Amino acid sequence: MTAPNLKDPAERRAYQRELRRVGRPLRLTGIAFLLLGLLLGVARLIWWPPMPVAIPLAALVLGAINMLAAIGLKTVYHARRVKGD
């Protein structure tokens, strides 16, 4: 990989598009888990109080872990790309 030329506006936009694709499945999975945790939490409060608190909490934690993993993956990719590895 070559280092991106961030001084050229066209190449900078292309690199931004490239960075958006890095970790996208992880980010989308994280968002899905966060929404699932939110829905489970609301369902527990309104319709199903006997549900253990750990179930919506586990979905929220999985979502947060996926989001953090995506951020880390994107950061490592950017650092390696700028370095030229």
Side-chain angles (χ1 to χ4, degrees), residues 8-28:
D8 181 26
E11 287 188 37
R12 186 180 315 130
R13 282 192 300 274
Y15 182 61
Q16 286 171 344
R17 283 191 302 273
E18 179 183 337
L19 273 180
R20 275 189 223 116
R21 290 190 306 264
V22 174
R24 184 177 172 102
L26 276 175
R27 283 194 312 273
L28 292 177

Side-chain angles (χ1 to χ4, degrees), residues 4-84:
N5 180 8
L6 299 177
K7 294 180 182 175
D8 181 26
E11 287 188 37
R12 186 180 315 130
R13 282 192 300 274
Y15 182 61
Q16 286 171 344
R17 283 191 302 273
E18 179 183 337
L19 273 180
R20 275 189 223 116
R21 290 190 306 264
V22 174
R24 184 177 172 102
L26 276 175
R27 283 194 312 273
L28 292 177
T29 304
I31 291 169
F33 272 122
L34 291 171
L35 289 175
L36 176 66
L38 176 69
L39 290 174
L40 287 172
V42 169
R44 182 184 179 279
L45 288 174
I46 296 174
W47 300 294
W48 198 21
M51 179 193 309
V53 175
I55 294 174
L57 186 60
L60 291 172
V61 168
L62 283 173
I65 288 171
N66 273 297
M67 296 297 284
L68 290 174
I71 291 169
L73 183 68
K74 191 173 187 176
T75 302
V76 169
Y77 179 84
H78 174 68
R80 290 186 68 193
R81 185 80 154 79
V82 169
K83 190 177 172 184

